């Protein structure tokens, strides 16, 4: 991975497309698609590709160069982590060490330790479940429940999920940030939420994949670490949910980055969370945090047909997007999931349809829009955490005021003639 400063490196190019079914086709061809909008697709090109082909693509003016020197970015990320470790130890020696948890992306072990520490410090607000199930490689999938344990009033369950995709490091960091905000903000507003809701939080759904991306050369891994029958590794957990599993935007090929797995909920990392959610009597809304693209995605994600709850969900999604804009002036588009690209077997639609969450199953795609993509520097953890906290503010207040949105249902589904089920 250590590349000479001026050698030819992996690149990310952004290309114009007519509609997002092109992305589905590209993935079918095994192209490494990183991100899609209705008009553009970001494609990762290995440095082993003939340089002239890459520049020919760019010269055609269908594509522009987005990340020119990917290895340099990756190297800078590792370097900045080393600098922070150095600073941490020098501060420790000076006696000036402070809580630097959100200054950097943390290991799985550090995330688990932090959940335990928060629980010890806030016994009336937090319960720590060290393991709701084990990952493929045997790591515990941790959960915290946050509520006012002194109040017996009936409460609605909100689920926050992070780290489903290994390389999207800003996701677990942002979920942890929200938990910290809930526990450290002393306000009547937060008290009201803790009386109205039970928060179930799984900041790191895919610990094997996450830890793998922390080892040299593997930073861009997406899936879990299942050993597949053909010798390849990994299932895309966000194609493995038991909701229109295997229908669209997903692959039967084990080596694909969007491999759906052997069957619905075949993966321990999806099954554990699905079982836990289904066991809750009061489930009401859930958000699954991903990166990148800056989007607030409502159901449905597998069909462009509007859901029965479209009007109510649009108000919620548009409100979250506006709250972010007001906080940081950053644009997060509020759209139906399938407007990004139709994909089924995803957690968001599963929460809407199978878990019957009236307040919706959501995907929020965090920063950025591709300048750093998955390699978002750690200095973004705080600003992203703050803008999402303001989105949560809107989300929770709106759900408190609208506690009876009925479970969503499929209505008049038309086949999406511009998408090709794989
Ligand atoms: O493709 C995904 O799983 C999500 N994007 S990501 O770049 N983080 O991989 C988007 C999922 C949106 N939801 C549905 N289409 N149901
Ligand atoms: Zn993702």
């Amino acid at each position: 991975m250590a590349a000479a400063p001026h050698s030819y490196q992996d690149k990310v190019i952004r290309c114009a497309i007519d509609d997002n079914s092109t992305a589905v086709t590209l993935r079918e061809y095994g192209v490494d698609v990183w991100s899609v909008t209705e008009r553009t697709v970001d494609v990762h090109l290995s440095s082993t590709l003939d340089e002239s082909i890459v520049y020919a693509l760019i010269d055609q003016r269908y594509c522009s160069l987005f990340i020119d020197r990917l290895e340099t970015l990756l190297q800078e990320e590792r370097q900045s982590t080393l600098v922070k470790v150095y600073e941490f130890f020098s501060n420790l020696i000076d006696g000036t060490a402070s809580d630097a948890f959100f200054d950097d992306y943390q290991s799985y072990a550090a995330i688990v330790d932090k959940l335990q520490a928060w629980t010890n410090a806030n016994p009336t607000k937090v319960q720590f479940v060290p393991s709701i199930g084990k990952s493929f490689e045997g790591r515990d999938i941790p959960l915290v429940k946050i509520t006012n344990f002194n109040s017996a009033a009936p409460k609605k369950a909100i689920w926050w999920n992070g780290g489903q995709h290994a390389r999207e490091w800003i996701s677990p960091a942002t979920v942890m940030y929200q938990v910290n905000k809930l526990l450290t903000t002393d306000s009547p507003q937060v008290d009201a939420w803790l009386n109205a809701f039970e928060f179930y939080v799984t900041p790191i759904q895919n610990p094997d994949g996450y830890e793998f991306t922390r080892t040299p050369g593997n930073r861009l891994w997406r899936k879990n670490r299942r050993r597949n029958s053909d010798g390849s590794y990994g299932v895309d957990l966000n194609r493995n949910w038991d909701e229109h599993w295997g229908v669209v935007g997903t692959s039967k090929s084990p080596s694909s980055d969007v491999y759906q797995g052997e069957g619905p909920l075949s993966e321990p990392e999806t099954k554990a969370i699905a079982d836990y959610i289904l066991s809750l009597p009061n489930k009401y809304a859930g958000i699954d945090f991903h990166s990148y693209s800056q989007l607030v995605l409502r159901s449905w994600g597998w069909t462009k047909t509007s859901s029965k709850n479209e009007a109510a969900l649009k108000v919620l999604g548009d409100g979250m997007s506006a709250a972010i804009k007001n906080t940081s002036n950053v644009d997060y588009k509020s759209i139906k999931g399938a407007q990004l690209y139709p994909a089924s077997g995803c957690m968001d639609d599963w929460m809407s349809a199978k878990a019957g969450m009236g307040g919706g199953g959501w995907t929020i795609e965090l920063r950025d829009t591709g300048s750093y993509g998955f390699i978002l520097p750690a200095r973004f953890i705080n600003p992203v955490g703050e803008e999402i906290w303001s989105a949560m503010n809107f989300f929770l207040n709106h759900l408190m005021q609208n506690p009876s949105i009925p479970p969503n249902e499929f209505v008049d589904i038309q086949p999406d003639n511009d998408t090709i089920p794989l």
Side-chain angles (χ1 to χ4, degrees):
M1 194 55 88
H6 294 294
S7 67
Y8 183 72
Q9 296 192 3
D10 279 26
K11 300 194 183 315
V12 179
I13 58 172
R14 175 162 294 179
C15 302
I17 52 175
D18 289 336
D19 65 67
N20 47 22
S21 66
T22 310
V24 178
T25 315
L26 285 173
R27 280 197 171 124
E28 264 187 301
Y29 287 141
V31 173
D32 189 9
V33 173
W34 272 19
S35 178
V36 184
T37 71
E38 279 178 315
R39 295 261 157 266
T40 64
V41 61
D42 292 359
V43 171
H44 169 218
L45 301 171
S46 155
S47 60
T48 54
L49 269 178
D50 186 335
E51 199 172 341
S52 61
I53 299 178
V54 176
Y55 283 110
L57 272 174
I58 293 166
D59 286 344
Q60 301 290 322
R61 285 194 285 129
Y62 290 121
C63 305
S64 59
L65 197 52
F66 228 64
I67 298 179
D68 185 16
R69 313 182 66 76
L70 187 60
E71 282 92 340
T72 303
L73 263 191
L74 292 165
Q75 232 169 20
E76 281 168 4
E77 181 182 65
R78 284 197 300 274
Q79 189 63 34
S80 86
T81 301
L82 279 180
V83 169
K84 280 180 196 135
V85 170
Y86 173 81
E87 281 169 3
F88 175 80
F89 282 110
S90 9
N91 290 342
L92 203 62
I93 291 159
D94 298 349
T96 53
S98 64
D99 185 350
F101 190 81
F102 294 110
D103 290 350
D104 207 349
Y105 296 111
Q106 302 295 336
S107 67
Y108 161 72
I111 292 172
V112 171
D113 284 353
K114 191 52 122 183
L115 294 174
Q116 181 69 67
W118 281 337
T119 309
N120 297 343
N122 300 278
T124 61
K125 290 187 198 164
V126 195
Q127 263 174 14
F128 180 42
V129 183
S131 184
I132 63 162
K134 285 193 185 291
S135 67
F136 181 84
E137 288 178 344
R139 291 184 178 84
D140 292 317
I141 299 168
L143 172 142
V144 280
K145 176 179 173 182
I146 302 157
T147 189
N148 178 1
F149 286 101
N150 291 328
S151 148
K155 302 184 182 77
K156 302 224 179 261
I158 307 283
W159 198 280
W160 285 336
N161 190 56
Q164 183 156 206
H165 287 146
R167 63 192 173 190
E168 299 166 11
W169 288 4
I170 190 65
S171 161
T174 303
V175 172
M176 292 295 279
Y177 197 96
Q178 306 312 302
V179 172
N180 189 45
K181 277 288 196 181
L182 270 186
L183 297 178
T184 56
T185 311
D186 189 10
S187 73
Q189 175 74 91
V190 170
D191 289 347
W193 296 337
L194 295 180
N195 288 329
F197 300 117
E198 289 168 346
F199 296 88
Y200 293 85
V201 188
T202 42
I204 184 131
Q205 188 198 341
N206 177 10
D208 299 349
Y210 186 77
E211 283 303 292
F212 186 61
T213 60
R214 291 170 48 79
T215 58
N218 303 315
R219 176 67 180 85
L220 295 169
W221 189 256
R222 167 180 167 98
K223 304 187 283 180
N224 76 349
R225 292 296 293 161
R226 170 174 290 280
R227 275 55 163 172
N228 296 322
S229 53
D230 68 347
S232 70
Y233 284 72
V235 168
D236 183 354
L237 298 179
N238 209 26
R239 298 293 179 276
N240 188 241
W241 294 79
D242 183 17
E243 172 47 50
H244 287 86
W245 177 82
V247 172
V248 65
T250 172
S251 174
K252 290 181 177 55
S253 164
S255 57
S256 164
D257 242 356
V258 287
Y259 175 45
Q260 63 203 31
E262 290 271 290
L265 298 179
S266 58
E267 301 315 289
E269 298 90 347
T270 46
K271 184 78 170 72
I273 294 182
D275 285 351
Y276 206 104
I277 294 179
L278 291 179
S279 76
L280 301 173
N282 52 348
K283 41 204 171 290
Y284 194 50
I287 306 182
D288 184 27
F289 290 91
H290 288 253
S291 72
Y292 58 95
S293 289
Q294 295 173 197
L295 299 167
V296 178
L297 302 177
R298 61 183 181 274
S299 285
W300 304 117
W302 73 276
T303 172
K304 287 180 185 163
T305 306
S306 288
S307 76
K308 195 175 100 282
N309 287 357
E310 167 64 9
L313 297 179
K314 186 172 186 319
V315 172
L316 262 166
D318 290 359
M320 284 193 262
S321 161
I324 294 170
K325 181 81 179 163
N326 285 336
T327 303
S328 53
N329 202 29
V330 171
D331 285 308
Y332 280 57
K333 259 204 271 172
S334 162
I335 55 173
K336 288 184 270 180
Q339 284 176 266
L340 170 64
Y341 46 77
S344 66
C346 300
M347 184 183 189
D348 46 14
D349 284 351
W350 183 91
M351 292 191 288
S352 294
K354 286 285 156 58
M357 293 179 174
W362 298 81
T363 292
I364 295 186
E365 297 276 0
L366 301 165
R367 290 203 217 176
D368 57 8
T369 54
S371 309
Y372 292 106
F374 302 117
I375 324 298
L376 192 73
R379 66 173 182 278
F380 287 93
I381 295 171
N382 282 279
V384 171
E386 283 300 316
E387 72 202 13
I388 294 303
W389 179 241
S390 74
M392 293 305 99
N393 212 287
F394 178 87
F395 186 67
L396 298 172
N397 282 339
H398 191 85
L399 292 179
M400 248 185 349
Q401 287 151 17
N402 297 273
S404 313
I405 307 171
N408 215 334
E409 283 169 22
F410 298 113
V411 281
D412 301 330
I413 297 224
Q414 306 299 321
D416 292 325
N417 50 17
D418 59 345
T419 60
I420 317 134
L422 300 182

